[in-house]
Amino acid sequence: MDRTVTWQAIRAEALRRIRAGTWPPGARIPDEAELATELGCARATVNRALRDLAEAGLLERKRKGGTRVPVTPVRKATFDIAIIRQNVEERGQRHGYRLIDDAPRPPPPEVCATLDWPAGPPMRHVIALHLADDRPFCLEDRWLNPAVAPPVQAEFTSVSANEWLVRNVPYSDGTIGFTARPADTQAARWLDCAEGDALLAIERTTRTEAAPITFVRLTYAPGHRVDATL
Amino acid sequence: MDRTVTWQAIRAEALRRIRAGTWPPGARIPDEAELATELGCARATVNRALRDLAEAGLLERKRKGGTRVPVTPVRKATFDIAIIRQNVEERGQRHGYRLIDDAPRPPPPEVCATLDWPAGPPMRHVIALHLADDRPFCLEDRWLNPAVAPPVQAEFTSVSANEWLVRNVPYSDGTIGFTARPADTQAARWLDCAEGDALLAIERTTRTEAAPITFVRLTYAPGHRVDATL
DNA sequence: AAGTGGTCTAGACCACAAA
DNA sequence: TTGTGGTCTAGACCACTTG
């Protein structure tokens, strides 16, 4: 009376063989049908397990080419993108928020280029500070398509643009990247550090098919760390 | 003559309904069996589609509780972790490598704590520079368990510790995090920048079940950007 | 031309969590 | 207790790629 074999068990066994060198780097491993027979389960179960390992970068699969252990694996790491208030509260701190500036301005060239926004017309430029237990946490510097978030509907005085967008224009596509930047005058002032201090910044671009939504740079207070999982 | 309905098509349709507000934030969506009937496919196909959206953070699923559109979705972003040489070559540049230092030293307390390494015995401390088209790209500052990579077997003079580990101790577990740091004297010297310049750093811890393998800080030259995808 | 992974189906049973 | 997602199975056909 065999217990059912789960795909997680198959994945664990495959991972064990990879780590043990039973399936060395560069080698082709048995095909799904063969493994299914050997391990006593359906091919679909093997497929699920190997597909999962392939998504993590631990295997490479190609039709007809079979499944191989990559010589130089490219692992995937993931991190969560929540609203800032959630980030703060997850740390067990109280989230505070303060709107610093909100005005229409023509965006700088690099923002225009990133968002496919013409050089002339203004966007809505919003600057706000997020606090954790009354200490500066993160400076939000955002350029918004005014058609998406008109000032009348979205004030950003008590709810941040970050949160307003997630609730009202959710599930859009975009890009995200990490950089380190020296604190400029404004960042130094609001994040309570010296000009030139090394700050971690996350830049996001968000858009729908038709139109750009927003470009935002989140500059974190000194020492901030963003963790990812493998 | 119905064409077969693919799980990608189901996912696209579900995403459309989420974005269109057909399934508004907070709402519970029809169960799998119902959707399968409505969309003309097997329940397994619906399951695959909705599971995929749930992994991306666009749906929340619970047994008996059904599937819901989260009010404040926590999206997942992923980025690739390749060896540094690959990173450089992907940018169309030539990778260069230079070993700066390699000596046994007792690690500083924070490294001991991260790796569960006792305070007394030395680890192998390796410092190396990676170049892109002969310009500084990234400084590798690494603490290694000497039992895992003994100097006799792994010289690191022409192959970086980064690459040696991926090839010889692959597929291990660990943590990874981003920070911004001011350039110290050493970083400034090798990365060709001024002391105090803001530099992006990636810190990784790697271990097997039994023993720590390595702690490494990769400090990138000024302006470096790490991109992730949603 | 043929081998291998990708996926769909229909049915079944199970595990978890809500009522 | 019961509804819902999680998963397994056996069989089938298809799509991509390599030989």
Side-chain angles (χ1 to χ4, degrees):
Chain A
M1 16 127 321
D2 299 349
R3 270 191 57 85
T4 313
V5 178
T6 67
W7 69 268
Q8 291 95 336
I10 303 296
R11 182 183 58 185
E13 172 59 19
L15 190 52
R16 201 187 58 71
R17 292 186 184 185
I18 293 170
R19 289 189 168 150
T22 312
W23 295 339
R28 178 166 167 179
I29 75 173
D31 65 38
E32 294 185 347
E34 200 170 325
L35 285 171
T37 305
E38 182 204 332
L39 300 170
C41 65
R43 182 167 80 94
T45 307
V46 174
N47 180 277
R48 175 79 191 271
L50 298 188
R51 181 161 38 82
D52 194 71
L53 288 173
E55 274 169 15
L58 273 67
L59 287 176
E60 280 172 354
R61 323 194 74 200
K62 260 192 299 202
R63 281 159 155 147
K64 167 75 178 180
T67 300
R68 289 176 175 281
V69 182
V71 177
T72 56
V74 178
R75 301 287 296 269
K76 268 69 176 171
T78 69
F79 58 96
D80 293 342
I81 307 177
I83 58 176
I84 296 164
R85 183 170 58 74
Q86 275 181 338
N87 276 342
V88 171
E89 289 169 354
E90 271 164 19
R91 299 154 58 107
Q93 299 181 296
R94 190 165 37 80
H95 177 251
Y97 171 77
R98 180 167 173 187
L99 179 62
I100 294 172
D101 189 34
D102 180 358
R105 290 193 186 92
E110 62 273 19
V111 173
C112 288
T114 309
L115 286 175
D116 291 322
W117 186 267
M123 297 189 81
R124 186 173 174 194
H125 188 204
V126 177
I127 297 174
L129 181 67
H130 294 262
L131 305 137
D133 281 349
D134 298 320
R135 305 193 51 166
F137 179 72
C138 160
L139 190 64
E140 177 179 348
D141 182 332
R142 183 182 297 271
W143 296 87
L144 263 166
N145 183 340
V148 171
V152 183
Q153 285 177 39
E155 286 191 297
F156 303 151
T157 47
S158 60
V159 173
S160 72
N162 174 263
E163 191 157 348
W164 188 91
L165 282 167
V166 167
R167 289 185 190 277
N168 292 277
V169 195
Y171 312 111
S172 31
D173 284 325
T175 63
I176 187 163
F178 293 88
T179 58
R181 299 167 55 84
D184 58 19
T185 307
Q186 192 171 53
R189 174 178 172 199
W190 294 107
L191 294 176
D192 196 19
C193 63
E195 270 189 59
D197 275 7
L199 303 178
L200 182 65
I202 297 182
E203 296 177 350
R204 283 191 239 171
T205 302
T206 308
R207 54 178 309 118
T208 64
E209 295 169 22
I213 296 176
T214 189
F215 168 84
V216 63
R217 175 154 48 224
L218 302 174
T219 306
Y220 289 87
H224 187 75
R225 178 187 166 98
V226 173
D227 286 307
T229 55
L230 283 173
Chain B
M1 269 303 47
D2 299 349
R3 271 189 56 84
T4 312
V5 178
T6 67
W7 69 267
Q8 291 94 336
I10 303 295
R11 181 184 57 185
E13 172 60 17
L15 190 52
R16 202 188 57 71
R17 292 186 185 186
I18 295 170
R19 289 188 169 149
T22 313
W23 295 339
R28 178 167 167 177
I29 77 173
D31 64 39
E32 294 184 347
E34 201 171 326
L35 285 170
T37 306
E38 183 204 331
L39 300 170
C41 65
R43 180 167 83 92
T45 308
V46 174
N47 180 277
R48 175 80 191 271
L50 298 188
R51 182 161 39 82
D52 195 72
L53 288 174
E55 274 169 16
L58 272 66
L59 287 175
E60 280 171 355
R61 323 194 73 201
K62 260 190 302 199
R63 281 160 153 141
K64 168 74 179 182
T67 300
R68 289 176 176 282
V69 182
V71 177
T72 54
V74 178
R75 301 286 296 270
K76 266 69 176 172
T78 70
F79 59 95
D80 293 343
I81 308 176
I83 57 177
I84 296 165
R85 183 169 58 75
Q86 275 181 338
N87 277 342
V88 171
E89 289 168 355
E90 271 164 21
R91 299 154 59 106
Q93 299 181 295
R94 189 165 38 80
H95 176 251
Y97 171 77
R98 180 167 171 187
L99 179 63
I100 295 173
D101 188 35
D102 180 358
R105 288 194 187 91
E110 61 273 19
V111 173
C112 289
T114 310
L115 286 175
D116 291 323
W117 186 265
M123 297 189 82
R124 187 173 172 191
H125 189 206
V126 177
I127 298 175
L129 181 67
H130 293 263
L131 304 135
D133 281 348
D134 298 320
R135 305 193 49 166
F137 179 73
C138 161
L139 189 65
E140 178 180 348
D141 183 331
R142 184 182 295 272
W143 295 87
L144 264 166
N145 183 340
V148 171
V152 182
Q153 286 177 37
E155 285 192 299
F156 304 151
T157 47
S158 60
V159 173
S160 72
N162 176 265
E163 193 157 346
W164 187 91
L165 282 167
V166 167
R167 289 185 190 279
N168 293 276
V169 195
Y171 314 111
S172 33
D173 284 324
T175 63
I176 187 164
F178 293 88
T179 58
R181 298 167 57 84
D184 58 19
T185 308
Q186 190 170 55
R189 174 179 172 196
W190 295 107
L191 293 176
D192 197 21
C193 64
E195 271 188 58
D197 275 7
L199 303 178
L200 183 64
I202 298 183
E203 296 177 348
R204 283 192 239 169
T205 302
T206 308
R207 54 178 308 118
T208 64
E209 296 170 21
I213 296 176
T214 188
F215 169 83
V216 62
R217 175 155 48 225
L218 302 174
T219 306
Y220 288 87
H224 188 75
R225 179 185 165 98
V226 173
D227 286 308
T229 55
L230 282 173

